[in-house]
Amino acid sequence: MNFPYWELGWAGGGLLIAIIATFHVFISHFAVGGGLWLVLSEQRARKTNDLAMLDYVKTHTRFFLLVTMVAGALSGVGIWLVISVYNPQATSFLIHTFVMGWATEWVCFLVEIASLFIYYYTFDKMDAGKHILIGWIYFISAWLSLFLINGIIGFMFTPGAWLETKSFWDGFFNPSFWPSLAFRSFLALMLAGIYGLITSSRLKDDDLRQRTTRWNAVWLAAPVVLVLLTGWGYLSVLPELHQQFIQGGSPEIPPFFNAFLYITPVLIILGVALFVKMPRRVQQGVSVLLMVLGFMYISSFEYVREAGRRPYIVGGYMYSNGVKVDEVAKVQKAGILNTAKWVQIKQINPGNQMAAGRELFNLTCLPCHSVGGPLNDINLRVAKYQTVFAMESFISGMGKINKYMPPWPGNSVEKTALAGYITKNLGQKKNQN
Amino acid sequence: MDLTNLIPYSDPLPLSPDFFWVLLQGTTVLHFLFMNALLGGGLILLVEAIKVRGQSAPPPLGKELYGKLPYTVAFTVNLGVPPLLFAQVIYGQFLYTSTVMMAGLWLSIFLLIIGTYYSYYYYFYKHHDLDCSRFWPLLLACATLLLVGFFFSNNISIMQTVGNWKDYFADKSGTLINWKDASLIPRYLHMVLAALAVGGLFLAIVAWFKKQRGEVNADERIRVGLNYFGAATIANFLIGGIFLATLPNQVVAETFSSKLALLCMLGSALFGLISVVLAFGRLVWPATCATIITILLMTLVRDWVRQAYLSPYFKLDSLPVNPQYGPAALFIIVLIGGLAVLYYMLRLVWNQNKEVAR
């Protein structure tokens, strides 16, 4: 209500955030787990004097560099850019509250970049001990990046004592901080194995391929079990209402939650199966399949986490439409149109009812819904409400009957205008089409 | 329409705005140096590649320039994070607003830079195989960077010209370009020419290190680099003058009513001139020092101009503050630790290179 909005329509409902964020987390977790993979693989190769393995680690480092440093780093910036245009209010709040956390994370990112370049460009040139030390510096700085970002992301779901104290530390070390950190760390190790299989399955030397494939299979299968255990711990620290949403109370989460649960044993089984000697083509096929499953696995988790937070964007503090919890009553009294800065219609009259309804739709619905798009399509959600009265009744029940939606923040005249706009232009239009 | 009503309120800052202002200026200078080397280096490589286009000649200017560009992208992006972060803290209510108005263009930035990055890497690994057609990845890298630069200029332009904000109501598609701002194009060209100049200097610096190792072509590359620097800087005096002339009178008058701002402006022009003289005298490091001082002073003036633009609606010292010192202490400790680790790693590399040279 404080900022202008981007009228997206089809791509609304956070579609672009979902695309960029899932792409990013799939790479950024690899950037952490893969860092440990690099340094431990190098140590192992040097200890056993396995020059072929060492050469493989070097080749994998180049792949790692090109994936994490380019697509990974840039998509991370992409998330920042996209959230600031989708929800500037929440982004501004997060930036101002945690600016020093973000700045500290930037230092880790700087060390990460420098150490990875040095690690790659000095692979055959630097003394082994010092080279391994550089590898450890990379991994530690990458994990510290995860540590810092995890605190801020966790805060959005479970702000805990921050709601009372407004202290940075209470927000950062929030109730889900440690379970989430453990969960993400094991997820990162698992992804290191999955990405490792992509490069190892391409090796032409049969013996080396079998050895490296088994090494990567251990990285994949062992952490998955821990991912499941820590995931359960993570779920258990969430507020009860959100646990219910995730386990079936919300209309959109269950398919993603189930996908996460069902993919877990498949990953373990395929990881164990890779210990069996297989032809190169089969290993390549399984590796690609694991990559796809790994992407679905982490995407489903991120979707559950994002959607499970509703109706809030910051738990208990700010609703997903950008209205703060303690400001709802004030906005209801004054009206949305009178509160919002970036609307041209301030008073509703019979001549501007539809235009006002559209403004209200853009302000209050568009943050979570698309219009005819693949994510949270409003047309599908409102198709069953054929009359203004029915639509108004639904809006009145938001936050009470439908607890995954925020309470209606406007007054009754605005509610009628919005209901009129929706029934005339959205659900029915879709049905007619 | 009262424009003041459109301006969003600011969230409270955890420390004094002055603290963030200093961090903003310091990190902006670092980002400008890397960004200029990246864009300017790419443009110079492109021009040199066009000169030998169609010939199966060795890549112009050698590995010393193109070999550095991929990781210059990484550091440019990394060093771009803190200025954007601190600018959002101080000027967030203006910056988020302008960003939403050009949201579609703004979002394309990270995709364009991925294009730049992979183009430079492609050139790095494949320039021998590409032979006559290696011009294309360079063209793609430069085109994407030039677009990104324009989008940044556009965002800053929208942010500062609050009077044009009502254009948003006619177009909410997130593709606003602030053509009404007469200073938009001169501002952009001023940045591009500065990049070309620093790109030349970057080439000269890299070649200077090669010269210390006894490379035969190094002197020629120092000459080429400094010539680019000198010519682009001279041209930038003209564009900079036009840029200044297109600023609103109120902004110029208010900015330079401060003696410090006037002194910095004159100082930047003086050091710019000195850097050109030093460059044509083939003095790489003195020219570099003069350039860094110029960029530092110009960065300060740039921010004061911004504050003059926003002065009817904004005062730095009127931002709300809810002080929390612990997180800042953490940042400073980690920053010192991080810089120490960087120094240690660079020393390892330096010693390694010395051993290899022996």
Side-chain angles (χ1 to χ4, degrees), chain B residues 156-204:
Chain B
I156 300 301
S157 163
I158 299 173
M159 170 196 163
Q160 293 175 171
T161 50
V162 175
N164 295 345
W165 279 10
K166 49 188 179 300
D167 291 358
Y168 161 79
F169 292 108
D171 179 9
K172 296 174 183 170
S173 65
T175 52
L176 192 74
I177 295 180
N178 200 15
W179 295 120
K180 283 184 186 169
D181 178 8
S183 69
L184 172 63
I185 298 299
R187 168 197 301 280
Y188 174 59
L189 291 178
H190 192 52
M191 297 301 274
V192 172
L193 277 175
L196 192 60
V198 175
L201 200 56
F202 181 51
L203 171 62

Side-chain angles (χ1 to χ4, degrees), chain A residues 5-6 92 106 125 166 168, chain B residues 11 78 89 168 173 324 352:
Chain A
Y5 54 81
W6 185 19
S92 169
W106 161 71
K125 296 168 193 158
K166 300 290 185 284
F168 174 96
Chain B
D11 285 299
N78 176 274
V89 169
Y168 161 79
S173 65
Q324 295 205 33
Q352 184 66 39

Side-chain angles (χ1 to χ4, degrees), chain A residues 5 17 47 97 100 122 129 164 240 243 296 366:
Chain A
Y5 54 81
I17 296 180
K47 201 172 170 186
T97 307
M100 287 293 105
T122 62
E164 299 296 323
E240 204 174 316
Q243 287 189 37
M296 288 167 65
L366 214 52

Side-chain angles (χ1 to χ4, degrees), chain B residues 65 70 95 138 140-141 143 173 184 212 214 216 356:
Chain B
L65 191 54
L95 194 50
L138 288 175
L140 182 65
S173 65
L184 172 63
Q212 307 312 305
V216 282
V356 171

